Amino acid sequence: MSGDILKRIAEPSLQVVGYVVLAVMFLYILTPLVWMFLTAFNPEGGPFLELPKEFTLDNFVMIFTGEPIKGRAGAAHPFYMTRWIQNSFFIASVALLLVVTMASMAAYSLSRLDFPGKSLLMTFILLIGFMPSMAKILPLFKLCLMFGFVDNLFGVAVVIASSILPTQIWILKGFFDSIPRELEEQAWVCGCGRFTTLMRVVLPVAGPGIAVVALLSFLGAWGSFTIPLILIRSEDLYPISLGIASVFIHNPGEIGLAVDYGPLCALSIVYAIPSLAIYYLTRKYLMQVRLGKMEVR
Amino acid sequence: MVEVRLEEVTKRFGNVLAVDRITLKVRDKEFIVLLGPSGCGKTTTLRLIAGLEKVTSGRIYFGDKLVDDGETTYVTPQRRNVSMVFQSYALFPHMNVFENIAFPARIKKLPKEEIKKRVNELAELLKIKDLLDRKPHELSGGQQQRVALARALMIEPSVLLLDEPLANLDAKLRVYMRAELKRLQREFKCTTIYVTHDQVEAMSMADRIVVMNQGRIQQVGTPDDLYNRPANLFVAGFIGSPPMNLLDCTVDGREFLNFGAFKIKMPEDWIAVTQGVGEAIYGIRPQDIKVYKERREGAIEFVVYVTEPLGDRIVLTLVKDDLWIKALAPPEFTVEMGDKVWILFNFEKAHLFDKRSEKLLI
């Protein structure tokens, strides 16, 4: 009986404690985002969380036109938002294409073919993937100099793709492994050659996996900072990540080195939108991913 | 529609001998069933015929055409014109039912109108007309099975290969589909090779059954052959439910079979065959044992160990010393565990196997 009473008291109170913990974590995570959002639309936003007295789109206009806002201390350094977005899109798209084509071919052969040294090769790929890209940046930089990849958007995309590729091969291999061989054999019996089987059966069935790899490589390249930082010198080749950093460095606000928060927050929001949009578009596939296993019947 | 011939076909996977010198002729339009326990090589044999595996040695012919000899000739599955239904059905998950059925015809580039007509005919025949827009994962097991079958019948295959197509269905549906499949095969008149481990399925559908064990053919014959004239101990034990009683015995003197716990006098025709035989195995089906509640001339006394009423009959497990047998009795035959019964063997239906070679003696 006493156990029951304890249970009756303890269970609800545990629940309350749980909710309090969750609420605190929720606030902790959400507050900076709320601040960023409010500040972006606030004509007088600062480093404090405050409700704007007026609502404005000036910050967004400013980052796209590069024109300073009237009545505010002018930006010492222009914004090239449109150009940065173009650069980022270029890098991310090229990286995506490279990773998807190469990872799907590599993963398919690793999944279906048997050859000597296969497990060694797989371990090697994994090790390279786990190695932080900064650890190999010196030889990589040398290599980039040789190939003319320095200060070259395509070169940056290739380097980023190469750093993303190994893990994506592993992810896709998991997907191909989960496609029953019988599906392919069925296709062969129906008259498909290897290539037709790949195009008409394997790739469509692996669709969700490929979508996931595409999403991850796009986001990886879109968010990449250090590789462009090292490889890009001209300001008109900056992707957004470098652009935001340059604003920090070059655009002090009114008081000394304080940052002009309004445009920066607007910048950050614009930077985040493609990632969110892509997530939204591919969420259907993401939901089908069950840790690399698909339900195929 | 062709005849399929396997000559001395052997398949090894590394050190594992999956199929061991199989020679078999599947006649044109015949429904043949490969029957055996799991791992007996029946699925491998099917895959060899489909071309999904290459033979290690031996030859496979489709009609007069050599399709695989393990050396110079190997015709790929794409060019053998076979249809196959896998145990998992292997429906393409990204295509709807219509596209799944149409797939082989699309690959063969048949005209669109013809494909549409044919798919509709097959869907009608297999009662899946309402499902053509659905995706495979929206179908029940039985529906998926029929879609797979429709796809296999879409083109007119030389040989229809079925790998345990009913294994994933529930018991009731399985019985229904058994009859449907048999009817379809007669209707389409295609040479059909069907793999199963279920002897009831094999008995009820096949023109001829190939019993396999450990990569070898044990016996080829009609269901009647296998049931009434099993070639060896394996076939005897595998065919029939409840299985045949297989009792160790020795030929004692000239005319007696000694089971240890008792002796029986053999009929005249047995005596001639059993001369010189020492240890043997006596096989008798449960339905060929007569059970009485009273003592009777020549009958042997057993004790009822357990009774299993099945409605239309009762399966009795009987014991004498350490000898166990199963017998069938009519439903009105009421006995309790521990009761004494007397049994008579029907020698007309019984068999004797050589203990060493396991071959049928009589």
Side-chain angles (χ1 to χ4, degrees):
Chain A
M1 279 307 277
S2 64
D4 277 356
I5 293 168
L6 263 181
K7 238 186 193 174
R8 244 180 287 160
I9 302 169
E11 264 179 17
S13 26
L14 263 179
Q15 230 171 18
V16 170
V17 171
Y19 279 123
V20 169
V21 171
L22 279 180
V24 170
M25 281 168 64
F26 186 64
L27 278 179
Y28 177 76
I29 292 165
L30 211 61
T31 311
L33 290 177
V34 171
W35 169 79
M36 184 176 89
F37 206 73
L38 291 178
T39 311
F41 294 99
N42 189 350
E44 292 162 11
F48 312 108
L49 180 62
E50 53 187 345
L51 276 179
K53 290 185 199 81
E54 300 172 56
F55 172 84
T56 181
L57 287 174
D58 284 354
N59 292 323
F60 288 92
V61 175
M62 180 190 165
I63 58 170
F64 278 104
T65 56
E67 296 289 320
I69 301 163
K70 277 192 187 121
R72 300 248 306 257
H77 196 80
F79 290 84
Y80 296 113
M81 196 60 193
T82 327
R83 149 105 2 111
W84 295 339
I85 291 181
Q86 281 170 6
N87 293 341
S88 276
F89 256 110
F90 180 82
I91 292 176
S93 315
V94 172
L96 178 150
L97 283 178
L98 286 174
V99 172
V100 167
T101 15
M102 292 178 21
S104 49
M105 288 191 287
Y108 184 64
S109 25
L110 285 174
S111 166
R112 289 301 193 252
L113 302 178
D114 253 326
F115 48 87
K118 177 174 155 180
S119 60
L120 195 72
L121 179 67
M122 301 253 319
T123 318
F124 190 63
I125 291 174
L126 194 65
L127 278 181
I128 292 189
F130 282 168
M131 208 164 133
S133 39
M134 280 312 101
K136 40 195 175 185
I137 200 68
L138 268 178
L140 207 57
F141 189 75
K142 276 272 185 195
L143 214 60
C144 290
L145 276 177
M146 273 168 60
F147 286 130
F149 281 178
V150 175
D151 227 17
N152 173 342
L153 282 183
F154 182 75
V156 173
V158 171
V159 174
I160 292 176
S162 75
S163 71
I164 302 172
L165 191 60
T167 44
Q168 302 308 307
I169 291 178
W170 268 82
I171 292 181
L172 256 190
K173 182 187 172 290
F175 264 95
F176 285 131
D177 285 347
S178 74
I179 299 177
R181 262 167 200 254
E182 290 186 352
L183 278 187
E184 286 166 72
E185 290 175 346
Q186 181 69 62
W188 298 344
V189 169
C190 288
C192 295
R194 286 231 172 220
F195 185 72
T196 326
T197 307
L198 187 68
M199 297 310 286
R200 294 189 75 149
V201 175
V202 179
L203 288 183
V205 173
I210 290 173
V212 169
V213 165
L215 170 82
L216 291 179
S217 36
F218 188 91
L219 294 185
W222 183 260
S224 164
F225 176 72
T226 35
I227 294 175
L229 180 70
I230 290 161
L231 292 182
I232 289 180
R233 290 164 181 178
S234 327
E235 273 184 43
D236 49 350
L237 292 183
Y238 278 2
I240 311 187
S241 53
L242 285 192
I244 292 181
S246 76
V247 172
F248 260 104
I249 296 161
H250 298 299
N251 277 17
E254 296 175 45
I255 324 150
L257 283 172
V259 176
D260 198 351
Y261 287 104
L264 252 181
C265 286
L267 248 181
S268 308
I269 287 175
V270 172
Y271 187 29
I273 284 173
S275 315
L276 296 178
I278 287 179
Y279 167 76
Y280 185 76
L281 291 175
T282 53
R283 73 195 186 289
K284 196 179 95 192
Y285 299 110
L286 284 171
M287 294 305 143
Q288 289 184 35
V289 179
R290 287 170 200 153
L291 289 171
K293 291 260 184 208
M294 279 180 303
E295 200 151 285
V296 179
R297 282 206 253 180
Chain B
M1 316 295 123
V2 295
E3 164 189 294
V4 178
R5 262 185 306 140
L6 283 74
E7 287 178 2
E8 294 280 311
V9 168
T10 297
K11 176 68 186 176
R12 283 177 184 281
F13 295 104
N15 286 328
V16 181
L17 186 59
V19 172
D20 189 5
R21 284 171 290 143
I22 279 188
T23 298
L24 174 70
K25 189 162 141 183
V26 183
R27 298 177 197 132
D28 189 17
K29 303 189 182 65
E30 188 176 30
F31 194 135
I32 206 159
V33 172
L34 304 184
L35 174 67
S38 55
C40 73
K42 55 191 193 299
T43 295
T44 307
T45 310
L46 197 74
R47 291 172 60 85
L48 286 168
I49 296 170
L52 295 171
E53 310 283 351
K54 292 182 192 178
V55 302
T56 309
S57 67
R59 289 163 304 281
I60 300 178
Y61 293 91
F62 278 26
D64 297 326
K65 194 174 166 227
L66 179 67
V67 293
D68 192 359
D69 66 358
E71 287 160 14
T72 48
T73 310
Y74 166 68
V75 177
T76 59
Q78 288 87 344
R79 290 167 51 224
R80 286 193 191 191
N81 191 35
V82 295
S83 277
M84 187 154 175
V85 175
F86 288 88
Q87 186 175 355
S88 63
Y89 313 138
L91 297 179
F92 303 123
H94 59 294
M95 297 179 192
N96 64 19
V97 169
F98 184 95
E99 284 306 318
N100 261 291
I101 300 175
F103 189 77
R106 290 231 194 281
I107 297 300
K108 294 208 158 53
K109 300 209 165 59
L110 297 188
K112 277 204 177 111
E113 276 310 304
E114 198 182 312
I115 293 179
K116 203 172 166 197
K117 194 166 147 258
R118 178 103 177 126
V119 171
N120 280 319
E121 278 171 19
L122 283 168
E124 186 92 46
L125 190 69
L126 287 157
K127 304 187 185 81
I128 44 176
K129 201 130 203 237
D130 305 336
L131 310 174
L132 289 177
D133 297 329
R134 304 240 193 121
K135 288 281 180 67
H137 67 89
E138 296 167 315
L139 306 179
S140 71
Q143 292 167 336
Q144 290 185 16
Q145 200 260 350
R146 270 181 261 176
V147 174
L149 206 58
R151 179 175 60 189
L153 295 169
M154 184 67 195
I155 48 157
E156 280 187 9
S158 310
V159 190
L160 177 60
L161 305 172
L162 306 166
D163 186 4
E164 308 231 9
L166 305 183
N168 293 348
L169 303 182
D170 63 61
K172 207 173 152 192
L173 198 54
R174 200 152 53 211
V175 173
Y176 173 73
M177 280 312 291
R178 225 151 64 189
E180 285 285 289
L181 258 177
K182 192 167 176 176
R183 187 182 61 85
L184 275 175
Q185 197 267 342
R186 295 294 190 276
E187 209 157 296
F188 281 79
K189 294 191 182 65
C190 50
T191 313
T192 304
I193 304 175
Y194 185 108
V195 161
T196 183
H197 65 267
D198 181 342
Q199 49 105 5
V200 181
E201 231 170 88
M203 297 288 280
S204 59
M205 296 165 80
D207 293 328
R208 283 192 304 153
I209 299 174
V210 180
V211 181
M212 292 182 69
N213 190 33
Q214 296 181 334
R216 290 202 182 177
I217 292 183
Q218 303 294 319
Q219 188 174 3
V220 182
T222 62
D224 180 60
D225 283 340
L226 300 188
Y227 190 82
N228 293 316
R229 288 172 292 282
N232 58 33
L233 212 51
F234 178 80
V235 177
F238 199 74
I239 303 278
S241 169
M244 188 184 278
N245 293 296
L246 298 168
L247 311 171
D248 277 318
C249 60
T250 47
V251 178
D252 194 351
R254 249 180 69 81
E255 48 196 28
F256 284 97
L257 277 180
N258 188 348
F259 291 87
F262 57 91
K263 283 185 187 180
I264 332 181
K265 190 163 185 286
M266 286 188 283
E268 282 300 319
D269 50 338
W270 281 54
I271 293 174
V273 182
T274 51
Q275 292 319 301
V277 176
E279 295 195 319
I281 288 172
Y282 183 79
I284 185 152
R285 295 197 184 275
Q287 50 269 50
D288 299 326
I289 300 175
K290 273 236 181 297
V291 190
Y292 303 98
K293 283 187 194 169
E294 302 88 26
R295 189 180 298 277
R296 184 175 275 253
E297 175 65 36
I300 303 139
E301 184 185 305
F302 269 73
V303 174
V304 177
Y305 182 73
V306 69
T307 63
E308 299 164 70
L310 296 179
D312 59 338
R313 64 212 158 131
I314 304 173
V315 181
L316 302 171
T317 306
L318 309 173
V319 62
K320 182 181 182 72
D321 297 347
D322 55 353
L323 197 72
W324 302 74
I325 61 168
K326 280 194 189 287
L328 289 187
E332 57 276 7
F333 189 88
T334 46
V335 281
E336 294 296 320
M337 290 184 227
D339 284 358
K340 282 181 180 166
V341 292
W342 284 264
I343 63 169
L344 272 179
F345 293 142
N346 179 357
F347 262 83
E348 303 242 313
K349 297 281 184 73
H351 300 282
L352 199 67
F353 300 91
D354 187 285
K355 184 154 187 183
R356 206 155 334 112
S357 69
E358 302 196 342
K359 292 244 163 67
L360 182 75
L361 291 172
I362 194 163

